[in-house]
Amino acid sequence: MSTPTAVRVWENHLLRYRKIWGSHLLGAFVQPVLYLVGMGLGVGALVDRSTDSIVLLDGITYFEFLAPALLATTAMMSGGQTSLWEVADGFIWSHRYVAMASTPLRPREIADGLALWHTTRIALAVTAVAGVLALFDETRTWGLLVAIPAAVLTGLAFALPISAWSSTRKNGSSFPAVIRFALIPMFLFGGAFFPIDQLPEWLQPVAYVTPLWHGIELCRGAVIPSVDAGPVAVHVAVLLAYAVVGLLACRATFAKALRP
Amino acid sequence: MSDAVIIASDLRKQFDNFVAVDGIDFEVRPGESFGFLGPNGAGKTSTMRMIGCVSPITSGSLTVFGLDPNVDGSEIRSRMGVVPQSDQLDPELTVAENLLIYGRYFDISRSECRRRTVELLDFVQLSDRANDQVDPLSGGMKRRLTIARSLINEPELLLLDEPTTGLDPQARHVLWDRLYRLKQRGVTLVLTTHYMDEAEQLCDRLVVMDEGRIAAEGSPRNLIDRYSTREVLELRFAIGENDANAATLEGIGERCELLPDRILIYDDDGEEALGEVHRRGVDPVASLVRRSSLEDVFLRLTGRALVD
Ligand SMILES: Nc1ncnc2c1ncn2[C@@H]1O[C@H](COP(=O)(O)OP(=O)(O)OP(=O)(O)O)[C@@H](O)[C@H]1O
Ligand SMILES: [Mg+2]
């Protein structure tokens, strides 16, 4: 029986990941713990004492507000970061994908294999965060199991479009800007640390079109039963659209880069 | 129907406005070793990449194993091995892992990959480095590993783009020996090079390529017979005296080439030509009689010396 082509590509990524999985998962575990303790409990103690908080946070504690969102933000950061230097590496430094492309593997199969790998790696990071949330009474619910796939989809909504773009770069000079001017602002203002209706009016539509806000709403709704996540189908559709368009774009840009 | 492994006719490759391969015709027969000899930018790599089904042809026609690269690229690639001009090894993996994972791209089972890895590392004399990282390996070792990797699918056809460029003479001889053994096993070899001695050593037949075109085709011996004399007399003069002496030497031998650092006189009998040089009262700083090589063929065909 033959192994699907995408799985063969995935095996390369897995083999290399086996050498760094410890530090990756430790990072995925420690970061949310820091945010949960520092912001969730520390800042939360201040926020929850304010009389407005009941109105602002729809009657949940700040910890309950923040914790599930970390599933989505971790997915975004994990998916975003592995789609920059690591993807470009396969084309311009190690030529890993160029080497693969001279075997029976086709460019679009290499793109599919990368997508499969992104899914795996994001799922590992998100599961580590879910493990952290399971340590706290407020967030130890079966809803975590629903939030995990929602967060993975959020991660793919970033990873796939960014990968398509990275594969067209001739060097990595613009990569730090993506983190500084796209991922970190979304992390801070995308609805994880405070509700986006606190943003200036003109910025709110921006939040609605970013995948992160939709992912956060889904995760929050899944983990905290009293939260109304709004139109779940719309959230999922937006995330799926980003991921599917991203995958199609990857197939196209990989073909262009690998078949000059 | 021809049983040729590769048939190209009027094959062209154009990048934007630049024509890299400008209408070439050639055939490679099963079991033969076929070379592309040419200077930098001649279009050797562009041609190899079209044969390797990783670069679509612009026009003309190309078949490999009787198949069309546009339609059956994946199947063609599964039956051949590729040694690219730059190694493209996976720097994050060990020597053995590089072979194993490459075999997986061809869907060869893990246990079979392991078996072939042991065999191939032995073949290229890298068994003792199996578990080392790739990066610290020397250039020659990386090249040998790349050749081993290209053999993991037991290819019928092996494409080698400048297999020994940048290697020391001893490493080159080791590689030539390995390639010779592959040829004896019946593997068809197609290689590019800008080394004359390599072409003479390895190629049954070769084409001389220049500026995207084929200037001549034949066996090394045949090309030398056709485009050069049996022997060559090389004369060196003090700096700036080349031109003046060239005038006096006119008419000696069949042909004369004036190079920046020396004058070459083509004659079937070099010693005889040297006698005539002395009789005319010309006194070179140094003189040398040697047999003609592909270098001379290249000079004759293109008017330029091949640069390494
Ligand atoms: N992807 C590309 N885009 C544009 N031009 C290209 C591309 N690849 C090759 N060329 C051009 O085509 C010409 C032939 O290049 P090619 O690499 O085939 O030469 P070569 O004979 O292999 O030379 P070398 O001995 O230096 O390896 C060069 O002028 C090169 O700049
Ligand atoms: Mg080349």
Side-chain angles (χ1 to χ4, degrees):
Chain A
M1 212 193 72
S2 76
T3 311
T5 49
V7 174
R8 303 184 215 162
V9 175
W10 178 86
E11 284 178 27
N12 170 294
H13 292 86
L14 180 68
L15 187 58
R16 290 182 295 118
Y17 183 74
R18 293 213 312 227
K19 306 182 183 214
I20 55 139
W21 68 272
S23 63
H24 175 238
L25 285 189
L26 193 68
F29 193 84
V30 167
Q31 276 224 354
V33 170
L34 292 179
Y35 282 115
L36 277 181
V37 174
M39 306 286 292
L41 299 179
V43 177
L46 299 175
V47 173
D48 294 339
R49 221 177 297 155
S50 129
T51 43
D52 291 346
S53 88
I54 303 286
V55 182
L56 288 176
L57 300 180
D58 283 331
I60 60 173
T61 65
Y62 187 67
F63 184 91
E64 289 169 326
F65 179 80
L66 174 66
L70 293 176
L71 291 163
T73 58
T74 302
M76 172 184 78
M77 288 313 230
S78 177
Q81 280 165 350
T82 54
S83 303
L84 295 168
W85 288 275
E86 266 201 49
V87 170
D89 178 45
F91 294 92
I92 53 183
W93 297 304
S94 75
H95 294 106
R96 180 172 300 120
Y97 298 139
V98 180
M100 284 182 193
S102 66
T103 71
L105 300 171
R106 299 176 179 90
R108 86 176 124 78
E109 295 168 338
I110 297 172
D112 292 352
L114 176 66
L116 193 58
W117 173 249
H118 278 323
T119 311
T120 309
R121 190 176 159 131
I122 295 166
L124 288 169
V126 167
T127 307
V129 179
V132 174
L133 297 199
L135 297 176
F136 296 89
D137 288 338
E138 295 92 326
T139 48
R140 192 185 303 120
T141 79
W142 291 112
L144 283 174
L145 296 183
V146 178
I148 289 175
V152 172
L153 183 58
T154 310
L156 289 174
F158 285 95
L160 293 170
I162 295 176
S163 296
W165 174 78
S166 302
S167 67
T168 65
R169 300 296 93 192
K170 296 284 168 268
N171 58 59
S173 59
S174 45
F175 293 167
V178 174
I179 295 181
R180 232 170 278 149
F181 300 115
L183 298 185
I184 290 183
M186 272 188 255
F187 175 66
L188 293 175
F189 305 112
F193 292 99
F194 56 87
I196 59 167
D197 47 30
Q198 295 298 297
L199 286 172
E201 203 125 327
W202 60 271
L203 254 179
Q204 291 180 20
V206 177
Y208 291 131
V209 297
T210 64
L212 184 63
W213 178 74
H214 296 278
I216 289 174
E217 292 295 293
L218 284 176
C219 291
R220 204 172 268 145
V223 176
I224 308 298
S226 68
V227 169
D228 174 16
V232 170
V234 172
H235 295 317
V236 173
V238 170
L239 294 176
L240 262 181
Y242 271 101
V244 169
V245 170
L247 177 61
L248 296 178
C250 275
R251 288 180 177 181
T253 57
F254 277 41
K256 197 164 150 49
L258 297 172
R259 295 285 184 257
Chain B
M1 227 1 238
S2 154
D3 66 345
V5 179
I6 307 171
I7 306 174
S9 90
D10 198 22
L11 182 61
R12 278 168 45 89
K13 180 72 197 185
Q14 189 165 345
F15 298 103
D16 299 322
N17 291 324
F18 183 83
V19 179
V21 178
D22 194 7
I24 61 173
D25 300 76
F26 63 90
E27 263 190 49
V28 180
R29 293 188 279 271
E32 100 174 309
S33 82
F34 184 88
F36 290 92
L37 180 68
N40 293 131
K44 304 182 297 295
T45 298
S46 304
T47 305
M48 292 293 255
R49 289 176 51 79
M50 287 190 280
I51 301 171
C53 308
V54 293
S55 171
I57 72 174
T58 304
S59 66
S61 79
L62 175 69
T63 62
V64 185
F65 305 128
L67 301 170
D68 178 354
N70 269 332
V71 183
D72 300 307
S74 182
E75 144 127 51
I76 295 171
R77 291 194 301 276
S78 74
R79 294 166 59 185
M80 73 182 166
V82 178
V83 175
Q85 190 165 348
S86 61
D87 285 318
Q88 303 176 355
L89 294 166
D90 200 315
E92 292 171 35
L93 301 179
T94 65
V95 168
E97 284 170 341
N98 259 283
L99 295 187
L100 287 169
I101 203 71
Y102 204 74
R104 293 294 298 142
Y105 303 154
F106 290 85
D107 201 22
I108 300 163
S109 75
R110 255 175 228 94
S111 58
E112 180 62 15
C113 283
R114 271 192 290 275
R115 194 186 66 72
R116 291 188 193 179
T117 295
V118 172
E119 212 176 89
L120 287 169
L121 286 181
D122 182 52
F123 180 65
V124 297
Q125 298 173 320
L126 282 173
S127 302
D128 52 331
R129 307 301 296 261
N131 297 316
D132 291 358
Q133 291 297 308
V134 161
D135 252 347
L137 295 186
S138 75
M141 289 174 175
K142 283 186 184 155
R143 212 60 187 145
R144 260 147 52 204
L145 178 56
T146 302
I147 291 181
R149 188 174 75 164
S150 74
L151 297 172
I152 195 90
N153 58 326
E154 300 181 338
E156 302 157 52
L157 167 66
L158 188 59
L159 305 183
L160 302 130
D161 198 350
E162 299 191 17
T164 67
T165 297
L167 302 190
D168 70 35
Q170 206 222 321
R172 298 176 70 200
H173 281 282
V174 172
L175 267 180
W176 288 349
D177 170 65
R178 299 300 120 153
L179 295 178
Y180 187 71
R181 289 195 208 181
L182 287 171
K183 184 172 148 51
Q184 285 193 314
R185 288 187 206 165
V187 178
T188 306
L189 303 180
V190 174
L191 60 125
T192 76
T193 183
H194 28 199
Y195 294 124
M196 302 297 158
D197 51 348
E198 183 158 281
E200 279 174 47
Q201 281 276 332
L202 291 178
C203 300
D204 301 324
R205 215 152 52 82
L206 56 92
V207 292
V208 177
M209 241 184 133
D210 190 33
E211 294 180 341
R213 295 169 182 277
I214 290 178
E217 188 234 293
S219 70
R221 192 68 258 152
N222 172 270
L223 285 170
I224 293 167
D225 289 347
R226 243 189 307 159
Y227 293 100
S228 191
T229 51
R230 207 171 67 85
E231 293 187 336
V232 190
L233 171 62
E234 292 202 10
L235 302 173
R236 282 177 198 274
F237 295 95
I239 292 167
E241 290 181 13
N242 253 8
D243 289 349
N245 284 306
T248 324
L249 294 172
E250 194 130 343
I252 306 180
E254 287 183 20
R255 205 162 54 81
C256 180
E257 289 279 357
L258 191 61
L259 299 185
D261 60 335
R262 65 211 141 116
I263 294 175
L264 304 181
I265 294 176
Y266 289 91
D267 198 300
D268 284 334
D269 188 340
E271 291 297 341
E272 166 73 30
L274 183 57
E276 178 61 23
V277 169
H278 289 310
R279 273 195 289 283
R280 293 193 187 183
V282 178
D283 187 22
V285 178
S287 64
L288 164 78
V289 174
R290 59 168 176 80
R291 296 179 66 87
S292 274
S293 72
L294 285 172
E295 181 92 48
D296 303 295
V297 173
F298 191 81
L299 195 60
R300 170 75 185 278
L301 289 169
T302 67
R304 282 177 296 120
L306 250 179
V307 275
D308 277 343

